[in-house]
């Protein structure tokens, strides 16, 4: 017990250090903006270290989740429920963004400068224009390239194929599943080592963004930022909170408190990807079965982008108003529905929302593309709310899908959220030494094919 407490204390200090690093980064950004901007590679380097681990984690998690289920139809049921829920929530988020955006009418009175115009053109240049390209991009060149290129949807495809293949192999595939389970433990251990660099990465990222934007830019764009944050809060606490309480009987505040460290990590890195591995581990510890977690969480990172939907909605209205060319009701619906489809696969990567925004405007209203530069200065701050909303949506979705498929231990959920069965950082390593992750079970309460 003493050893466990010591380890908890060390990780507690780690996240206190992240908070201190964020505060120090803000101070440095204001005091020495020129120097602060040069620190940007530090933050970028830490996020890249995390992204390096995403593909192997997603692969191992999905293969273990799908491969350990006896019937392929069950995987389809979980995936179908998840995708259906994601589609409905994206539509709700879009509607809320439209409502608040039309009420606030952000962007009135701003003027487009040549610098802003150039920034908008730069974002549009790298944006995807073709839906066909997006669909073909899901298929990797080779099995290995899905991992080397860091494409989430490509990794999802390969992992699903491997999972179904192992499922079809039956008992002959069990040694492979056990081997992948060992690889997953190795990957999580590496991730735990990387996390100790979080304070340094948080300091570099925050200092750079404050140094780049400064106070004036934030003042002039305060309305859209505040409106966006309030809209995300309404969606999370009112919409998601109500659904979670009615369907699963779970208190949203308790769930968000349980995931507090992950939200802090997202806040400091501006990317929900940085917390994906920890969400997988914590949802299993919460009491959701491994197959449901393994399918719902990675899929949600590509298809459940509620924060991105709100961002695209409000940013489009902001740009149109700022350029004196407001969107009609019909244009709002058609443009933003296109953007929701185009945003799938962004997976919370910093800057992906900005590129999607530029691509959507270029396809539907080319005259508004230059206005994307108005958002560039505050996109980093909006990206944080976007990523945290996406993350909260995926956590809630995992609990809901587990409830609908009857693959959640409700007694364990109560114990975990009440603090009677607390999270221990050693569980992330999955080294078997005191890790307390429940055995995955099917809808009838029976153990699944294998235990990794």
């Amino acid at each position: 017990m003493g050893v466990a407490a010591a380890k908890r204390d060390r990780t507690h200090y780690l996240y206190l250090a992240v908070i201190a690093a964020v505060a120090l980064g803000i101070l440095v950004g204001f005091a020495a903006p020129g120097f602060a901007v040069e620190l940007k590679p530090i933050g970028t380097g830490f996020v890249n270290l995390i992204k390096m681990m995403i593909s192997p984690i997603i692969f191992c998690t999905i293969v273990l989740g799908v491969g350990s289920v006896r019937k392929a139809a069950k995987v389809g049921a979980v995936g179908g429920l998840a995708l259906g829920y994601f589609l409905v929530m994206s539509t709700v988020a879009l509607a809320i963004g439209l409502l608040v955006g039309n009420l606030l009418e952000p962007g009135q009175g701003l003027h487009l400068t040549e610098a802003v115009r150039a920034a908008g053109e730069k974002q549009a240049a790298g944006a995807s224009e073709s839906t066909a390209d997006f669909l073909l991009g899901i298929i990797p060149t080779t099995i290995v390239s899905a991992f080397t290129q860091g494409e989430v949807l490509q990794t999802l495809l390969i992992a699903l194929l491997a999972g179904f293949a192992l499922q079809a192999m039956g008992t002959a595939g069990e040694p492979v599943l056990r081997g992948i389970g060992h690889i997953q433990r190795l990957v999580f251990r590496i991730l735990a080592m990387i996390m100790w660099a979080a304070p340094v990465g948080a300091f570099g990222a925050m200092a750079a963004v404050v140094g780049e934007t400064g106070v004036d830019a934030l003042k002039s764009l305060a309305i859209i930022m505040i409106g966006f944050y309030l809209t995300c809060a309404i969606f999370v606490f009112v919409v998601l909170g109500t659904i979670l309480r009615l369907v699963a009987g779970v208190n949203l505040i308790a769930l968000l408190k349980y995931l507090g460290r992950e939200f802090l990590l997202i806040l400091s890195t501006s990317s929900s990807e940085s917390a994906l591995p920890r969400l997988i581990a914590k949802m299993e510890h919460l009491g959701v079965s491994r197959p449901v977690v393994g399918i719902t969480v990675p899929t949600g990172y590509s298809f459940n982008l509620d924060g991105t939907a709100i961002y695209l909605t409000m940013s489009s209205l902001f740009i149109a108003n700022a350029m004196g060319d407001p969107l009609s009701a019909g244009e709002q619906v058609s443009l933003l529905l296109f953007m929701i489809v185009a945003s799938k696969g962004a997976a919370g990567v910093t800057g992906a929302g900005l590129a999607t925004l530029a691509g959507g405007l270029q396809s539907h209203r080319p005259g508004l593309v230059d206005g994307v530069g108005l958002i560039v200065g505050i996109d980093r701050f909006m990206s944080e709310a976007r990523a945290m909303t996406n993350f909260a949506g995926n956590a809630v979705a995992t609990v809901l899908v587990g409830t609908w498929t009857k693959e959640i231990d409700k007694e364990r959920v109560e114990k975990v959220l009440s603090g009677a069965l607390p999270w221990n950082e050693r569980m992330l390593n999955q080294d078997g030494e005191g890790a307390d992750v429940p055995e995955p079970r099917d809808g009838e309460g029976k153990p699944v094919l294998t235990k990794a």
Side-chain angles (χ1 to χ4, degrees):
M1 291 293 292
V3 174
K7 290 192 175 185
R8 281 198 298 272
D9 286 341
R10 286 207 301 270
T11 57
H12 179 66
Y13 293 140
L14 169 62
Y15 288 93
L16 288 177
V18 171
I19 295 174
V22 170
L24 182 61
I26 293 173
L27 289 175
V28 172
F30 283 132
F35 171 73
V37 171
E38 296 179 359
L39 297 176
K40 187 174 183 178
I42 298 177
T44 303
F46 174 72
V47 174
N48 287 345
L49 282 173
I50 297 291
K51 290 169 65 176
M52 174 182 73
M53 310 302 298
I54 297 301
S55 288
I57 286 171
I58 287 180
F59 177 79
C60 292
T61 302
I62 290 183
V63 171
L64 290 173
V66 175
S68 62
V69 180
R70 292 183 184 276
K71 296 181 180 179
K74 181 179 172 184
V75 177
V78 173
L81 273 173
L83 287 175
Y85 170 79
F86 296 156
L87 179 61
V88 171
M89 283 299 100
S90 292
T91 304
V92 172
L94 177 119
I96 292 176
L98 278 176
L99 177 63
V100 176
N102 280 289
L103 288 175
L104 288 179
E105 294 187 343
Q108 296 286 0
L110 284 179
H111 301 285
L112 191 67
T113 65
E114 286 303 316
V116 166
R117 189 184 303 276
E121 291 174 351
K122 181 179 179 182
Q123 289 298 327
S128 174
E129 298 178 10
S130 171
T131 302
D133 289 341
F134 163 73
L135 295 174
L136 290 175
I138 297 176
I139 305 173
T141 305
T142 66
I143 290 180
V144 178
S145 67
F147 300 95
T148 58
Q149 295 178 6
E151 295 290 339
V152 174
L153 287 180
Q154 292 182 3
T155 305
L156 278 171
L157 176 63
I158 296 299
L160 285 171
L161 292 175
F164 282 121
L166 287 169
Q167 189 181 86
M169 291 171 64
T171 56
E174 289 188 20
V176 180
L177 282 172
R178 285 195 294 271
I180 293 175
H182 290 306
I183 294 174
Q184 184 188 49
R185 286 190 284 274
L186 171 64
V187 171
F188 275 129
R189 177 57 62 88
I190 295 172
L191 180 72
M193 295 165 61
I194 292 174
M195 287 308 301
W196 286 98
V200 178
F203 168 72
M206 192 58 65
V209 71
V210 173
E212 286 177 345
T213 56
V215 180
D216 294 337
L218 301 184
K219 286 181 178 178
S220 65
L221 298 167
I223 293 178
I224 181 66
M225 284 180 60
I226 294 172
F228 177 62
Y229 270 76
L230 287 176
T231 306
C232 288
I234 291 171
F235 177 80
V236 171
F237 291 101
V238 177
V239 178
L240 295 184
T242 302
I243 294 174
L244 186 64
R245 170 62 75 179
L246 293 177
V247 175
V250 175
N251 184 281
L252 177 69
I253 303 298
L255 179 64
L256 298 184
K257 182 179 178 182
Y258 171 62
L259 298 170
R261 289 185 173 182
E262 288 65 47
F263 281 108
L264 175 60
L265 183 61
I266 293 170
L267 181 66
S268 61
T269 61
S270 192
S271 171
S272 57
E273 273 196 338
S274 59
L276 184 151
R278 296 179 61 87
L279 179 61
I280 291 172
K282 279 199 164 184
M283 286 294 101
E284 287 188 17
H285 173 65
L286 184 65
V288 184
S289 74
R290 177 166 291 170
V292 170
V293 174
I295 295 169
T296 306
V297 174
T299 305
Y301 262 71
S302 289
F303 292 93
N304 190 32
L305 304 174
D306 303 324
T308 303
I310 297 172
Y311 166 84
L312 293 173
T313 305
M314 297 191 69
S315 296
S316 298
L317 295 177
F318 171 80
I319 291 171
N321 289 334
M323 298 186 70
D325 189 12
L327 296 169
S328 65
E331 288 175 328
Q332 289 179 25
V333 174
S334 63
L335 169 63
L336 298 169
L337 285 177
F338 167 82
M339 286 184 171
I340 293 304
V341 175
S343 70
K344 303 310 180 186
V349 180
T350 304
L354 199 61
T356 303
L357 175 64
L361 290 175
Q362 188 175 47
S363 298
H364 284 64
R365 289 283 296 273
L368 297 179
V369 173
D370 292 342
V372 174
L374 290 166
I375 297 291
V376 172
I378 59 167
D379 180 72
R380 172 61 165 75
F381 292 97
M382 296 176 74
S383 179
E384 292 165 352
R386 192 165 68 227
M388 288 192 288
T389 303
N390 291 343
F391 182 81
N394 287 324
V396 170
T398 305
V399 175
L400 293 177
V401 174
T403 301
W404 286 325
T405 56
K406 298 180 180 179
E407 293 201 41
I408 185 171
D409 187 338
K410 294 189 176 181
E411 291 183 4
R412 184 182 178 93
V413 172
E414 292 179 3
K415 289 181 180 179
V416 171
L417 296 184
S418 66
L421 194 60
W423 167 262
N424 187 320
E425 289 297 327
R426 288 190 300 162
M427 298 172 192
L428 187 61
N429 298 331
Q430 299 284 298
D431 56 8
E433 300 174 4
D436 189 17
V437 176
E439 176 179 319
R441 296 177 178 272
D442 61 20
E444 299 176 354
K446 300 177 181 178
V448 294
L449 179 61
T450 185
K451 179 182 176 184

